[in-house]
Amino acid sequence: MSTPRFIDIHALQTVPFSNLNRDDQGAPKTVVFGGVERTRISSQSWKRVIRHEVERVLGDPAVRTRRVVRGVAERLEKQGWPKEEAEAAGRQVARSAGSGIKLERSKDEQDEEVLTTSVLLYLPEAGMEELTAIAAEHRDAVVVEEAKPEKKRKGVLPGAAIAEVLGRRNGTINLFGRMLAELPGANVDGAVQLAHAFTTHSTSVEYDFFSAVDDVEQELGIPGSGHINTAMFSAGTFYRYANIDLRGLDANLGKDTAAARELVKTFLDAFITKLPTGKANATAPASVPDLVHVAVRADRPLSLATAFEAPVQPAEGHLAPSLDKIVAYAESVNTLLGADQRLWSGHTIAGRDKLTQLGDHHASFADLTTAAVAAAYGRESA
Amino acid sequence: MSGLLLRLAGPLQSWGEHSLFGERDTLSFPSRSGLLGLIAAAQGIQRGHPLGDLHQLRFTIRVDRPGVRLVDFHTIGGGLPRARTVLTADGKRQSAATATIVTKRHYLSDAVFTVATEGPDILVTDVAAALRRPRWQPFLGRRSCPPEQPLLLDRPVDDPVAELRRHVPVPRWAPRDGSDLELDFVHEGDHDDAWQRSELYDTPTEFTRHDRRYRPRPVSVVSTPVPAARCFGRSETYQAELIRYIQGAAR
């Protein structure tokens, strides 16, 4: 039997009048595909909300920060260290981190001077505690070194231990990767590939003229409005796609299969439920996918975007013809690539007939993602 | 020598030439570094490892559909306190209102390219196997751009450039008068009939993450007629013909 190599997740999702992801003009992002303009939601925008959701669910947040010095100093102050010593220890953490990472002076939001690292670090939040512990262990050495004139100060903390913490990964770093040039070995190639979402049909931007009332002027009977402007929106049925490289994730996790299962499941769930937040309060676009289709493949990841190269024409809306197109295309391309390469597939669909061509039907999104993980990794041993 | 046919299509692709920092450009056709990177990733060659025999591959690109340029407005780090924003050239901080890093990422949307890939038999066989079962996900110049499958038009071809001229279906309508459709072919090196010749810095020695180095390579663009009978404008007709072509039915 072939080994599962990739998991594909596809969704068709109808999003009402909204502007989830906008460009520098404030207009919904677009893409031309099949000769017509569609609304697009960029991969980076959707990935960000998925990342935060995965971190929230797993209780495993990562911090992206330049403020390691302050972070360590604050923790030590809470442990009762005097302020100067705590800050000295914070500086020492940055100094000992390796030659690529330097200390810089800058101003914080209150215009007070702070020391920051020259690069934006990205580490599991728990790592800050460990950096603090390393500094605390070497308190005497820290105090002696930081008492020297500034130019002569060197890092006295164990560099390897600090580099190890800074290079440590949490779940989302293993899933989505990390780019950190300054610390050898800290780069992580992401296991997830996430495509830009686009509508299956042509769209055009809707211009929403609005005015805001000046309440005081209105009471005084002065005609006119306080503010007028135009906002831009669109609506449509999106095709969304992502895949996971199972071997790559396995390598990132050091072959920890239990962690891999959990991450894959959490990622699939977050992919299904989360929406980017642009203008969310003004439009309440909180929809869920109409169709989710997951496939476990032995050969290569397979996007079904081509199903919509010819834009869908409305026929009782865009969703019904989109479903027809995705089913027809999935069938033909799977036949072409060899049906045996799709080791498992399943789908969940709202309010319509099951689509037998897209694998087993599952009543809920959670059932679908649980079954997908079982297909990729085998049933959980009790 | 034998060859392969690759088809690069999808909603978005991006083939950067000078891509660094804020303005991330794209060429109007796939770069040599992009194609080698795609193949190297499929073969599982790690970053920083030499590309070995892949340097022997020669690419001829048929521009089936040039696509439409799209500039994606992409922001990073919005909403951060002033001290965590990016420095200006003279070492100062920008105000909170302007501190977000703005990058512009150029893409080709709606583009389709067919690439004749030639090289020694053993190498070509290896590359084909890797593209059928890639080690890492293939992408069209940027990770957020998954390709349409099949990326590899999987059928034996002796002379892939001749296939491009005569047989591989084109996703375009033929001219109304029934004459051949002129398509741009991008050849490596010099070519007598070129209407455009340029030099691109897109030949990598290896893909280290930093300090990537590229050698220049001359490229010639030649306008070449392709039979009207191989043009299939309608999307479904084209896709069906493409499948027939891969399965070896259409000659």
Side-chain angles (χ1 to χ4, degrees), chain A residues 34-108:
Chain A
V36 301
E37 186 176 276
R38 318 351 180 46
T39 303
R40 171 174 62 96
I41 297 178
S42 66
S43 86
Q44 62 267 20
S45 162
W46 219 308
K47 198 192 277 184
R48 184 169 192 271
V49 287
I50 294 172
R51 172 164 79 83
H52 287 161
E53 175 69 2
V54 171
E55 290 176 353
R56 190 191 64 78
V57 170
L58 297 180
D60 180 22
V63 285
R64 212 183 256 282
T65 184
R66 287 176 190 267
R67 297 252 210 127
V68 169
V69 177
R70 177 65 66 88
V72 169
E74 275 171 3
R75 284 171 169 80
L76 288 172
E77 274 185 70
K78 274 193 200 137
Q79 294 173 20
W81 287 40
K83 192 170 185 218
E84 294 76 47
E85 281 187 28
E87 281 178 0
R91 289 196 299 271
Q92 273 295 320
V93 168
R95 275 192 228 286
S96 312
S99 57
I101 296 171
K102 300 201 164 46
L103 275 176
E104 289 176 348
R105 278 171 209 288
S106 55
K107 297 263 174 78
D108 71 1

Side-chain angles (χ1 to χ4, degrees), chain A residues 92 95-96 145 153-157:
Chain A
Q92 273 295 320
R95 275 192 228 286
S96 312
E145 188 68 21
R153 292 175 197 163
K154 294 199 175 74
V156 294
L157 299 176

Side-chain angles (χ1 to χ4, degrees), chain B residues 61-198:
Chain B
I61 300 165
R62 187 179 80 180
V63 180
D64 290 11
R65 263 196 342 226
V68 180
R69 275 181 187 263
L70 174 144
V71 181
D72 188 36
F73 176 75
H74 183 146
T75 65
I76 304 161
L80 291 177
R82 192 158 178 255
R84 277 165 57 187
T85 59
V86 177
L87 290 168
T88 61
D90 49 355
K92 292 180 180 151
R93 298 280 167 188
Q94 295 175 319
S95 73
T98 57
T100 305
I101 305 177
V102 174
T103 76
K104 291 195 168 166
R105 309 203 170 186
H106 297 233
Y107 294 86
L108 300 174
S109 61
D110 217 8
V112 179
F113 304 98
T114 320
V115 183
T117 307
E118 296 169 285
D121 289 347
I122 300 175
L123 176 60
V124 161
T125 312
D126 279 358
V127 169
L131 290 169
R132 275 180 220 120
R133 295 174 64 83
R135 172 63 190 84
W136 290 301
Q137 299 104 319
F139 54 86
L140 303 176
R142 224 191 273 296
R143 228 176 124 82
S144 62
C145 308
E148 276 183 29
Q149 290 287 357
L151 178 69
L152 171 69
L153 301 186
D154 207 348
R155 58 176 282 169
V157 283
D158 297 328
D159 182 350
V161 179
E163 288 292 312
L164 289 188
R165 285 205 198 95
R166 290 184 214 117
H167 297 298
V168 184
V170 182
R172 293 255 291 268
W173 298 107
R176 288 195 180 187
D177 60 7
S179 58
D180 292 349
L181 178 69
E182 296 277 335
L183 289 180
D184 279 350
F185 278 54
V186 183
H187 296 269
E188 302 207 67
D190 292 312
H191 198 286
D192 291 343
D193 302 326
W195 65 266
Q196 184 192 321
R197 183 192 178 281
S198 41

Side-chain angles (χ1 to χ4, degrees), chain A residues 5 29 34-35 189 306 309, chain B residues 47 65 73 83 110 134 148 235:
Chain A
R5 300 262 318 275
K29 287 187 175 180
D189 279 307
T306 316
E309 203 263 346
Chain B
R47 276 182 227 286
R65 263 196 342 226
F73 176 75
D110 217 8
E148 276 183 29
S235 178

